[in-house]
């Protein structure tokens, strides 16, 4: 039986910085990233996504790999098909417990991730990423620039719920490699499709 | 704050208000005040709804001053839910106004000789108690509206809804917020039932003509308060995460960790989690014209609260807290934010603890009374409680009673009180606190200042099994101390990471009262409070066997990580070896 392929669309949008926030709710629900896997979380974020050291230090306070709390970004290896979730600092004792390498990490030992630091070498793969709370605005723009893959229906929801700020700040559109218009973007029927989305902020 | 208002309800005479000096209770505030009075004056074996129990309402040590975050109010008594000592605290305007009126505590004692309902009106001329049976079975929202019309200069109300009048064990005491909505609740342990048993429906507070409380050393106090506020604003939790998303910022994280109790603690991850997360709620509040960042009392600089509007843009409830969203949401398999906000509103109006009610409805769902995920049915069940039907009275008595009545084995309670929103199988350290807190399963019992700043019990290895016990002990001591200051517990996050912010808090207390309190003094205060509470419970018949989680936490593995609670009974028994 032939494998049914989900049709793909590639969208490249250039937007004013204030329009970027329209995409943040999407990022907390999870999206796919194609990257070189087999490296540490740190290498992925710092060297493939180009997220500044300082941002990682201050804004990525809580990290989960496959639902387990991570303490050391260098020792935890990204494997093909894994789920990586990032969050800022969280309230409560439980928030303190889940914080990476926090004083209270022992409280959640039962669900801690113990990395070995050893991967099987770099190779192309993909992972699911979720950016919770303030990592949306702080780390999200790096992923949007790098490129994320989401269901078309989810993007259509963004076009509906955030229509005004998004389209007011939309500067350039490319659909499947060709320059296009906001109107054409709005008219797209993305249901049933997977969308590779690239969003670049610009002060133009 | 140099006096206590004692309201004697009878039955030997008609209700009467009397002011007494502080005496032995001088220097106490918040939880330290309520727990000390209860442990000294209430016979531990008394019936919680009888004449011998007392309801103590106390503002914090810095309430009524210009200190930021100083508006928590504590409500204490012998709990009808747990049978042990109880302190439940809440935000809202009550603490600030009561403190400005000069009261360190209100103690309601005795029991009326007749079946009448009373209101207490307190202003700068003193307190009056007035019989008013027209208030019977009013919801908290209608009640405070009526009070505002009768007393237009009233600044706050402390009240019970129909659940308190029916003396149900899940009943709360409501405190009005800055908009005069009865939306902040001393929620846990059935404190509202005790107020109902005394026949007091509402306390109306009017501080017209009263001034802010003055510190002994105004300059030092001002400087310390400034430092304290700077510390709160610069910290990522108190300066960013809480103001942006409120406490519900935790939903996505607990869910991701597989520590989010789902469908009556059967699973650790809820597929609808992202739909009811703090991020989703903040988006919806913005779209509907609600406020996403707001304080529950004046002087709050973190402002973790907000307003939740209905589809037509009208106020429905406060922004539901994380525990409420979990209890009525994931724990019941419900992923509809509007339904959860409606349940929050109904709970607030009837005067019910959202954690206890959510846990109870999940137990009822487990029993087959409704389907998991059926939001309509959940709303109808809470309405049964408000109406006082036989089913409603069972549900309003909490998860333990409901589990017994319907023969459910998986009932998540400790000392009769429902567990909050963190599964102890995934976060063992929190399970230790749930099991051993004198209050019953209580998430706030270990919410506070870090052990390494206070240095309580020396340094511990948090990764060892003993470390879990040590940490829980230290946190419970520190929490008891912070609860006694009357500061919102959410200051703990900044204090946790920033010793200078903790020092600023101590400096404020010292400058206000002319004291020389040190971190060690704070630790001693916390220990004294906990000792008094444990002593009360021991005299009420509690033993080490009550410091246990329900056995299903040891037997049933929690998906997705398939973990069980592994801290042994012997380790739990070491928590209070100090
Ligand atoms: S931080 Fe939240 S709970 Fe604490 S006082 Fe402010 S609004 Fe109230």
């Amino acid at each position: 039986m032939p494998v049914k392929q989900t049709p793909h669309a590639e969208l490249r949008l250039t937007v004013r910085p204030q329009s970027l926030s329209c995409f943040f709710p999407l990022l907390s629900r999870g999206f796919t990233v194609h990257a070189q896997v087999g490296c540490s979380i740190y290498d992925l974020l710092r060297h493939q996504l180009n997220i500044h050291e300082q941002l990682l230090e201050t804004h990525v306070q809580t990290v989960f790999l496959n639902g387990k709390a991570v303490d050391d970004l260098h020792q935890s290896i990204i494997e093909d098909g894994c789920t990586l979730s990032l969050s800022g600092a969280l309230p409560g004792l439980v928030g303190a417990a889940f914080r990476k390498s926090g004083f209270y990490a022992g409280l959640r030992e039962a669900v801690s991730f113990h990395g070995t630091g050893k991967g099987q070498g770099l190779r192309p793969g993909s992972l699911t990423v979720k950016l919770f709370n303030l990592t949306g605005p702080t780390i999200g723009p790096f992923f949007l620039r790098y490129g994320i893959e989401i269901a078309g229906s989810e993007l259509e929801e963004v076009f509906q719920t955030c229509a005004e700020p998004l389209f007011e700040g939309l500067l350039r559109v490319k659909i499947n490699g060709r320059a296009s218009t906001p109107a054409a973007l709005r008219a797209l029927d993305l249901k049933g499709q997977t969308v590779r989305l690239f969003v670049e902020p610009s002060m133009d | 704050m140099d006096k206590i208002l004692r309201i004697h309800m009878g039955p030997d005479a008609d209700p009467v208000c009397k002011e007494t000096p502080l005496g032995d209770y001088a220097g106490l505030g918040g939880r330290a005040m309520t727990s000390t009075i209860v442990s000294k004056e209430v016979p531990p074996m008394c019936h919680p709804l009888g004449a011998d129990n007392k309801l103590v309402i106390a503002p914090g040590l810095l309430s009524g001053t210009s200190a930021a975050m100083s508006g928590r109010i504590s409500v204490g008594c012998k709990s009808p839910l747990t049978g042990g000592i109880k302190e439940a605290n809440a935000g809202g305007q009550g603490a600030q106004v009561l403190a400005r009126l000069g009261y360190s505590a209100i103690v309601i004692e005795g029991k009326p000789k007749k079946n009448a309902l009373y209101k207490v009106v307190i202003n700068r001329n003193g307190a009056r108690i007035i019989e008013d049976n027209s208030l019977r079975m009013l919801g908290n929202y209608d009640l405070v509206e009526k009070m505002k019309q009768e007393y237009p200069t009233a600044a706050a109300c402390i009240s019970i809804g129909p659940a308190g009048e029916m003396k149900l064990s899940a009943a709360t005491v409501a405190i009005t917020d800055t908009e005069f909505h009865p939306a902040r609740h001393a929620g846990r342990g059935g404190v509202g039932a005790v107020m109902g048993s005394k026949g007091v429906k509402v306390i109306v507070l009017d501080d017209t003509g009263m001034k802010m409380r003055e510190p002994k050393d105004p300059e030092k106090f001002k400087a310390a308060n400034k430092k304290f506020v700077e510390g709160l604003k610069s910290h990522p939790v108190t300066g960013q995460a809480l103001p942006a998303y409120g406490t519900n910022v935790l939903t996505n994280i607990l869910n991701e960790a597989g520590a989010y109790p789902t469908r009556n603690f059967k699973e650790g991850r809820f597929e609808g989690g992202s739909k009811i997360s703090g991020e989703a709620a903040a988006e919806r509040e913005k779209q509907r014209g609600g406020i996403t960042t707001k304080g529950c009392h004046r002087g709050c600089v973190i402002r973790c609260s907000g307003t939740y509007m209905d589809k037509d843009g009208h106020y429905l409830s406060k922004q539901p807290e994380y525990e409420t969203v979990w209890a009525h949401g994931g724990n019941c398999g419900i992923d509809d934010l509007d339904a959860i906000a409606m349940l929050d509103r109904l709970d607030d109006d009837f005067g019910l603890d959202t954690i206890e009610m959510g846990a109870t409805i999940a137990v009822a769902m487990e029993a087959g009374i409704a389907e998991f995920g059926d939001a309509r049915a959940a709303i109808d069940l809470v309405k049964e409680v408000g109406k006082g039907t036989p089913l409603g009275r069972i549900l309003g008595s909490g998860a333990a009673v409901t589990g017994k009545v319907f023969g459910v084995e998986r009932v998540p309670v400790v000392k009769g009180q429902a567990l909050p929103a963190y599964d102890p199988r995934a976060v063992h350290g929190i399970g230790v606190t749930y099991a051993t807190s004198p209050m019953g399963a209580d998430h706030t019992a270990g919410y506070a200042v870090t052990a390494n700043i206070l240095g309580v019990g020396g340094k511990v290895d948090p990764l060892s099994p003993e470390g879990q016990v040590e940490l829980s002990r230290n946190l419970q001591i520190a929490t008891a101390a912070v609860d006694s200051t009357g500061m919102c517990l959410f200051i703990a996050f900044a204090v946790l990471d920033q010793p200078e912010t903790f020092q600023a808090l101590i400096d404020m207390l010292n400058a206000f009262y002319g004291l020389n309190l040190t971190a060690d003094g704070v630790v001693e205060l916390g220990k004294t409070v906990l000792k008094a509470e444990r002593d009360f419970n021991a005299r009420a018949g509690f033993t080490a066997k009550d410091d246990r989680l329900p056995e299903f936490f040891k037997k049933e593995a929690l998906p997705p990580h398939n973990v069980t609670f592994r801290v042994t009974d012997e380790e739990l028994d070491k928590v209070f070896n100090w």
Side-chain angles (χ1 to χ4, degrees):
Chain A
M1 219 165 84
V3 179
K4 211 175 154 204
Q5 290 276 330
T6 312
H8 271 73
E10 187 189 287
L11 302 181
R12 288 182 183 270
L13 313 180
T14 308
V15 301
R16 292 214 171 87
Q18 58 268 34
S19 302
L20 271 182
S21 63
C22 289
F23 299 99
F24 299 155
L26 199 70
L27 302 181
S28 70
R29 275 180 251 146
F31 53 89
T32 303
V33 170
H34 296 279
Q36 294 290 313
V37 297
C39 63
S40 70
I41 296 176
Y42 177 85
D43 283 338
L44 173 84
L45 297 176
R46 179 70 193 91
H47 301 305
Q48 296 191 53
L49 270 296
N50 282 323
I51 302 171
H52 315 142
E53 183 86 40
Q54 171 73 7
L55 267 184
L56 285 179
E57 228 5 75
T58 51
H59 289 284
V60 181
Q61 294 276 341
T62 312
V63 178
F64 294 95
L65 192 53
N66 293 331
K68 294 208 163 188
V70 168
D71 289 302
D72 188 339
L73 300 188
H74 294 274
Q75 292 295 311
S76 310
I77 304 298
I78 298 282
E79 297 295 356
D80 192 25
C82 72
T83 299
L84 174 69
S85 310
L86 309 179
S87 159
L90 292 161
L93 175 58
V94 82
F98 281 111
R99 197 181 299 177
K100 64 178 154 69
S101 302
F103 185 78
Y104 295 109
L107 298 178
R108 44 81 174 162
E109 176 57 17
V111 291
S112 292
F113 185 89
H114 296 292
T116 59
K118 294 189 183 80
Q120 295 165 1
L122 279 180
R123 65 207 179 280
S126 63
L127 64 147
T128 301
V129 177
K130 296 179 191 174
L131 300 182
F132 295 136
N133 50 70
L134 292 167
T135 59
T138 51
I139 305 296
F142 292 88
F143 279 95
L144 288 166
R145 179 180 287 149
Y146 179 88
I148 66 172
E149 193 172 282
I150 46 169
S153 55
E154 289 192 89
L155 193 59
E156 283 189 343
E157 203 182 308
V158 174
F159 291 168
Q160 274 165 22
T161 54
C162 207
E164 218 175 283
L166 176 60
F167 286 95
E168 265 172 24
L170 188 56
L171 299 170
R172 283 184 287 283
V173 181
K174 266 189 182 175
I175 302 174
N176 294 329
R178 293 191 173 176
S180 188
T181 62
L185 179 69
R186 246 181 153 149
L188 279 180
D189 181 5
L190 297 169
K191 264 182 218 76
Q193 297 204 42
T194 301
V195 177
R196 291 285 284 276
L197 175 71
F198 299 81
V199 186
E200 185 77 37
S202 169
M203 303 294 272
D204 288 359
Chain B
M1 286 211 328
D2 55 357
K3 57 192 174 188
I4 291 175
L5 176 66
R6 294 207 177 241
I7 307 174
H8 190 71
M9 299 303 298
D12 42 331
D14 285 335
V16 59
C17 296
K18 200 171 133 197
E19 285 178 6
T20 60
L22 285 173
D24 288 350
Y25 302 124
L28 300 178
R31 177 171 164 186
M33 178 66 92
T34 63
S35 286
T36 307
I37 293 181
V38 172
S39 69
K40 276 197 176 165
E41 298 186 14
V42 174
M45 296 303 289
C46 75
H47 194 289
L49 303 176
D52 287 342
N53 198 4
K54 299 191 181 193
L55 187 80
V56 186
I57 302 171
L61 284 172
L62 292 173
S63 300
T65 74
S66 58
M69 315 301 304
S70 59
R72 297 298 286 192
I73 194 162
S74 289
V75 181
C77 57
K78 174 170 174 169
S79 161
L81 187 72
T82 69
I85 197 164
K86 174 56 63 182
E87 185 264 356
N89 62 55
Q93 284 291 99
Q96 306 286 32
V97 181
L98 189 58
R100 276 200 287 273
L101 283 161
Y103 296 102
S104 284
I106 299 175
V107 182
I108 309 176
E109 47 198 33
K111 200 171 177 169
K113 61 182 171 199
K114 59 178 184 183
N115 180 23
L117 208 52
Y118 296 87
K119 63 188 174 196
V120 179
V121 182
I122 307 176
N123 58 28
R124 66 175 161 170
N125 301 317
R128 282 180 306 144
I129 181 153
I130 304 156
E131 186 174 331
D132 188 347
N133 292 300
S134 73
L135 308 179
R136 209 170 278 284
M137 293 306 266
L138 280 185
N140 277 312
Y141 274 88
D142 284 347
L143 173 71
V144 301
E145 189 58 43
K146 191 166 158 55
M147 290 302 102
K148 192 72 188 169
Q149 277 166 18
E150 277 180 41
Y151 305 98
T153 52
C157 281
I158 300 172
S159 64
I160 56 169
E165 285 186 60
M166 290 186 275
K167 296 177 265 219
L168 301 178
S169 296
T172 60
V173 171
I175 321 285
T176 47
D177 63 13
T178 48
E179 274 82 47
F180 222 74
H181 292 139
R184 315 304 305 192
H185 289 245
R188 311 240 59 201
V191 291
V194 177
M195 188 156 156
S197 74
K198 307 290 179 204
V200 176
K201 177 75 175 171
V202 59
I203 300 169
V204 183
L205 301 169
D206 179 355
D207 63 348
T208 307
M210 300 302 290
K211 288 206 191 91
M212 198 85 91
R213 292 173 63 215
E214 283 298 324
K216 281 231 160 76
D217 187 334
E219 284 314 307
K220 271 198 186 142
F221 182 77
K222 208 170 147 195
N225 192 23
K226 188 165 173 260
K227 224 170 174 189
F228 183 61
V229 170
E230 281 166 6
L232 295 175
K233 290 202 164 156
S234 64
H235 190 274
V237 171
T238 47
Q240 294 169 14
L242 276 170
Y245 305 108
T247 51
N248 196 17
V249 68
L250 285 169
T251 294
N252 273 330
I253 302 306
L254 268 293
N255 206 29
E256 193 63 19
Y260 188 77
T262 301
R263 295 183 189 85
N264 193 30
F265 286 79
K266 265 204 281 291
E267 303 139 70
R269 195 172 279 160
F270 178 44
E271 66 286 354
S274 69
K275 287 195 196 160
I276 56 174
S277 65
E279 291 89 325
E283 269 310 300
R284 181 161 301 176
E285 282 161 22
K286 266 188 244 159
Q287 281 163 15
R288 292 184 180 172
I291 302 166
T292 55
T293 304
K294 151 182 187 310
C296 69
H297 71 265
R298 290 191 189 94
C300 165
V301 296
I302 300 175
R303 300 181 303 145
C304 78
S305 195
T307 50
Y308 193 96
M309 309 309 228
D310 66 14
K311 288 193 175 92
D312 303 321
H314 300 124
Y315 173 88
L316 178 59
S317 194
K318 65 182 179 297
Q319 169 181 287
E321 303 273 353
Y322 166 64
E323 276 77 19
T324 304
V325 173
W326 160 76
H328 281 308
N331 195 42
C332 293
I334 292 170
D335 64 4
D336 176 349
L337 268 178
D338 284 344
I340 293 166
M342 174 55 84
L343 286 157
D344 187 50
R345 164 67 181 237
L346 291 172
D347 284 342
D348 284 356
D349 199 34
F350 300 147
L352 288 164
D353 176 16
T354 56
I355 298 177
E356 196 66 43
M357 283 320 296
T360 301
I361 289 170
V363 168
M365 286 173 162
E366 174 108 33
I369 309 291
E371 292 286 317
F372 280 108
D374 187 344
R376 191 63 253 167
I379 289 170
D380 288 343
L381 287 176
V382 172
K383 285 184 177 169
E384 294 274 329
V385 185
K387 282 186 243 159
T389 64
L391 173 61
R393 284 174 185 257
I394 292 169
L395 299 172
S397 300
V401 167
T402 301
K404 256 195 193 130
V405 170
F406 293 105
V408 177
E409 192 187 337
R410 190 189 299 105
V411 181
V413 298
V414 174
K415 300 184 179 78
Q417 180 171 286
L419 262 68
Y422 318 93
D423 200 300
R425 286 165 288 191
V427 195
H428 287 169
I430 286 187
V432 174
T433 303
Y434 282 172
T436 59
S437 162
M439 299 293 159
D442 192 336
H443 62 295
T444 62
Y447 232 22
V449 195
T450 183
N452 53 355
I453 290 179
L454 288 178
V456 196
K459 297 277 179 201
V460 295
D461 173 7
L463 290 173
S464 68
E466 298 77 33
Q468 314 266 331
V469 165
E470 292 272 322
L471 279 172
S472 174
R473 173 194 306 146
N474 298 341
L475 285 161
Q476 289 193 56
I477 291 170
T479 305
V482 171
D483 278 348
S484 304
T485 66
M487 290 294 184
C488 172
L489 269 176
F490 296 158
I491 66 165
F493 318 128
V495 169
L496 187 102
D497 288 339
Q498 301 164 175
E500 68 279 8
T501 311
F502 179 55
Q503 190 55 47
L505 171 63
I506 296 178
D507 291 347
M508 266 199 291
L509 284 165
N510 285 339
F512 194 86
Y513 286 100
L515 300 170
N516 287 309
L517 198 63
T518 59
D520 286 347
V522 175
V523 173
E524 272 317 304
L525 174 64
K527 277 189 182 175
T528 309
V529 172
L530 270 181
K531 270 186 195 154
E533 291 169 348
R534 298 229 354 130
D535 175 58
F536 181 93
N537 280 0
R539 287 184 287 131
F542 283 75
T543 67
K545 289 195 179 61
D546 296 293
D547 288 346
R548 301 286 182 263
L549 294 182
E551 70 170 353
F552 77 86
F553 286 112
K554 284 186 176 171
K555 288 185 169 168
E556 291 179 21
L558 179 75
H561 297 309
N562 297 320
V563 281
T564 53
F565 185 68
R566 294 196 307 266
V567 181
T568 64
D569 292 351
E570 291 69 37
E571 285 166 38
L572 290 178
D573 290 342
K574 287 186 206 151
V575 168
F576 289 100
N577 290 345
W578 61 49

